[in-house]
Amino acid sequence: NAGVMQNPRHLVRRRGQEARLRCSPMKGHSHVYWYRQLPEEGLKFMVYLQKENIIDESGMPKERFSAEFPKEGPSILRIQQVVRGDSAAYFCASSPGLNGETQYFGPGTRLLVL
Amino acid sequence: AQTVTQSQPEMSVQEAETVTLSCTYDTSESNYYLFWYKQPPSRQMILVIRQEAYKQQNATENRFSVNFQKAAKSFSLKISDSQLGDTAMYFCAFMSQTQGGSEKLVFGKGTKLTVNP
């Protein structure tokens, strides 16, 4: 049973470019969560999605950031017009969707903005 | 809003000894879940152990156990017979059990544990 997949593992962008981060949940999991980890800090919640629905985006910056989880295909976290402060590790987690179920994490995408 | 506090930024322990990592949290809810995740140098987040707040019995997973004190809002992690592979950042996390609500994890800032040979 494959775990949570994220790609790319490393992404380098110049200021002003767009970054697209992909997450494929574990088989049988319908809930996806995105977290951001700044250097030397813990993970901070960004957004919680189910298929075709955003359930909670209270942790998402109001501008430049968006997320989707389409009916088919992976979940996408999109950052437009990246700035240096967006440099961080972005983790995706998935769960079966039952209340209180453990979230299993992917290996993360390390974004570096030059 | 819930908060999670890990008061020990760094700790070290000798191989084969026992170490306890502290975690306290703040919530007004009575039903919730608590987790410890490990992040080794590879940066992968790995579940160590979980605890349901409604269970009085402390969770145990092999060499890892917790001391859950609900009234004190404390959730410490004990690692017995420490091994070199236990060297990692350890994060305590809280999840609300609110029905229909967000199931986001709220993390502490982490404790960097080093196991010395």
Side-chain angles (χ1 to χ4, degrees):
Chain A
N1 187 12
V4 178
M5 311 283 284
Q6 286 188 251
N7 68 80
R9 296 289 304 275
H10 299 273
L11 183 61
V12 180
R13 285 287 179 265
R14 297 193 180 279
R15 282 177 294 170
Q17 291 184 319
E18 178 180 288
R20 281 190 179 228
L21 287 62
R22 295 174 183 77
C23 170
S24 297
M26 287 179 69
K27 188 176 179 180
H29 286 191
S30 59
H31 291 211
V32 165
Y33 314 79
W34 286 93
Y35 295 85
R36 177 165 64 175
Q37 184 177 32
L38 295 171
E40 308 302 323
E41 291 194 12
L43 279 71
K44 293 284 197 305
F45 168 78
M46 298 182 75
V47 62
Y48 163 35
L49 309 103
Q50 299 174 18
K51 286 282 187 182
E52 300 183 281
N53 281 307
I54 296 175
I55 307 302
D56 181 356
E57 56 182 346
S58 59
M60 288 277 271
K62 293 290 185 281
E63 297 178 350
R64 304 187 296 107
F65 285 73
S66 62
E68 62 176 4
F69 188 17
K71 188 177 180 181
E72 301 290 339
S75 175
I76 307 285
L77 179 67
R78 182 181 178 203
I79 312 172
Q80 295 178 291
Q81 299 176 316
V82 296
V83 301
R84 287 205 173 129
D86 297 332
S87 295
Y90 292 82
F91 288 91
C92 168
S94 73
S95 77
L98 300 174
N99 187 253
E101 280 292 332
T102 296
Q103 294 178 23
Y104 294 92
F105 283 80
T109 294
R110 277 119 190 115
L111 172 65
L112 175 63
V113 179
L114 300 178
Chain B
Q2 291 87 4
T3 58
V4 176
T5 302
Q6 293 180 250
S7 59
Q8 305 151 315
E10 292 192 40
M11 293 191 73
S12 63
V13 63
Q14 291 300 121
E15 199 175 3
E17 293 189 346
T18 295
V19 64
T20 298
L21 308 183
S22 301
C23 173
T24 58
Y25 56 93
D26 187 24
T27 184
S28 59
E29 300 177 10
S30 56
N31 295 317
Y32 46 85
Y33 304 89
L34 295 163
F35 304 83
W36 280 97
Y37 281 88
K38 165 185 176 180
Q39 188 178 44
S42 67
R43 306 294 299 276
Q44 172 80 50
M45 292 290 287
I46 302 166
L47 176 70
V48 175
I49 201 164
R50 62 172 275 155
Q51 174 82 42
E52 290 83 359
Y54 64 84
K55 290 186 177 178
Q56 292 187 342
Q57 187 172 7
N58 289 323
T60 299
E61 286 288 340
N62 301 314
R63 298 182 295 107
F64 299 88
S65 61
V66 298
N67 183 5
F68 173 48
Q69 301 288 330
K70 191 171 185 180
K73 297 180 183 174
S74 171
F75 183 59
S76 60
L77 174 70
K78 185 171 85 170
I79 306 174
S80 304
D81 185 26
S82 297
Q83 300 176 0
L84 296 178
D86 295 334
T87 292
M89 283 289 289
Y90 286 81
F91 293 99
C92 179
F94 173 100
M95 180 196 292
S96 170
Q97 196 185 357
T98 305
Q99 284 293 335
S102 178
E103 297 183 350
K104 63 185 179 187
L105 288 166
V106 177
F107 285 89
K109 289 186 181 295
T111 295
K112 184 178 181 180
L113 176 68
T114 301
V115 180
N116 298 309

